[in-house]
Amino acid sequence: DAKTTQPNSMESNEEEPVHLPCNHSTISGTDYIHWYRQLPSQGPEYVIHGLTSNVNNRMASLAIAEDRKSSTLILHRATLRDAAVYYCIPFRANSKLTFGKGITLSVRP
Amino acid sequence: GEEVAQTPKHLVRGEGQKAKLYCAPIKGHSYVFWYQQVLKNEFKFLISFQNENVFDETGMPKERFSAKCLPNSPCSLEIQATKLEDSAVYFCASSQGQGAYYGYTFGSGTRLTVV
């Protein structure tokens, strides 16, 4: 499995954009990049995933570097409900989702 | 339904007792996964199923843990003779497919406390 490096924590202000970085320099060509988050006392929640192109959905945007060695999850307007641990996970076909330490996002009112 | 239903939400067992956890995957999802979260931010994969067949059991402690997914029944994870170290939150997830193209949908977990 490709290794990932994420900062331990990040703070943001409510209603401002948040950019959560992830380095995955050992990613293979067939690994998708998945992002999940875990809100307090809940199960992990799928956020977004992509392979090469940038992706948008109702929750977030995913910007993938051209060399695919890093990606950034973008929350366009952070809310208090977005405070969670965010996991960046390179995910290969026929393997399983493997969680790292993640990044803890705090949102200030 | 569109959610993965896990029961019970909380389970307390004395050391040495049996614990059984249940998971109803999303209808139409053919893959089921079990994870154990002992400490915050640390997940351990246990086992996965494709329909009723074991797909990957590389994370399962063989001696006391077993799991099943039978047709028309919730999947189950059973721990015989629980130990204090089994105290954790156990999450079940389901997916339309095994490949990385599909995301996983997780349940809200069962918190097992062994006393």
Side-chain angles (χ1 to χ4, degrees):
Chain A
D1 293 339
K3 291 202 171 186
T4 59
T5 304
Q6 298 180 258
N8 288 333
S9 61
M10 185 173 281
E11 283 192 344
S12 70
N13 295 318
E14 202 176 7
E15 299 192 2
E16 290 186 357
V18 180
H19 290 229
L20 301 175
C22 181
N23 286 324
H24 30 77
S25 57
T26 59
I27 195 169
S28 83
T30 55
D31 288 354
Y32 280 79
I33 299 156
H34 280 235
W35 283 79
Y36 288 75
R37 70 180 185 181
Q38 186 176 27
L39 280 64
S41 302
Q42 294 190 28
E45 176 185 29
Y46 167 82
V47 178
I48 200 167
H49 76 280
L51 184 61
T52 55
S53 305
N54 294 344
V55 185
N56 300 299
N57 66 21
R58 63 174 180 80
M59 287 181 72
S61 295
L62 177 60
I64 301 172
E66 202 169 325
D67 63 6
R68 296 194 354 109
K69 294 187 176 187
S70 66
S71 61
T72 302
L73 181 71
I74 303 164
L75 307 179
H76 295 286
R77 285 180 72 235
T79 68
L80 296 178
R81 197 193 171 273
D82 291 322
V85 181
Y86 287 78
Y87 297 91
C88 157
I89 307 174
F91 189 7
R92 187 169 303 172
N94 297 320
S95 72
K96 56 208 174 258
L97 214 54
T98 302
F99 291 83
K101 299 284 188 190
I103 176 173
T104 300
L105 174 66
S106 305
V107 180
R108 289 184 289 251
Chain B
E2 290 300 308
E3 64 171 30
V4 175
Q6 289 191 249
T7 55
K9 290 199 182 308
H10 302 278
L11 191 57
V12 180
R13 287 290 178 265
E15 228 181 335
Q17 290 185 317
K18 184 174 76 174
K20 196 162 185 178
L21 292 60
Y22 296 92
C23 168
I26 290 174
K27 195 173 181 180
H29 283 195
S30 53
Y31 285 85
V32 170
F33 309 85
W34 285 97
Y35 286 80
Q36 178 193 58
Q37 186 178 30
V38 176
L39 296 173
K40 186 185 170 198
N41 301 20
E42 291 192 16
F43 289 87
K44 179 187 175 187
F45 167 80
L46 295 175
I47 191 168
S48 61
F49 289 83
Q50 179 183 11
N51 298 311
E52 60 267 26
N53 303 308
V54 173
F55 189 82
D56 180 350
E57 56 181 346
T58 51
M60 279 288 267
K62 296 272 192 242
E63 301 82 30
R64 298 179 297 108
F65 284 62
S66 62
K68 290 179 190 175
C69 278
L70 300 175
N72 303 313
S73 297
C75 297
S76 64
L77 176 69
E78 189 168 324
I79 309 172
Q80 302 284 345
T82 52
K83 296 183 178 182
L84 296 176
E85 68 215 43
D86 298 330
S87 294
V89 182
Y90 291 82
F91 291 105
C92 170
S94 69
S95 177
Q96 287 180 277
Q98 206 284 328
Y101 184 75
Y102 302 98
Y104 290 10
T105 303
F106 284 82
S108 55
T110 293
R111 180 176 294 279
L112 172 65
T113 304
V114 181
V115 297

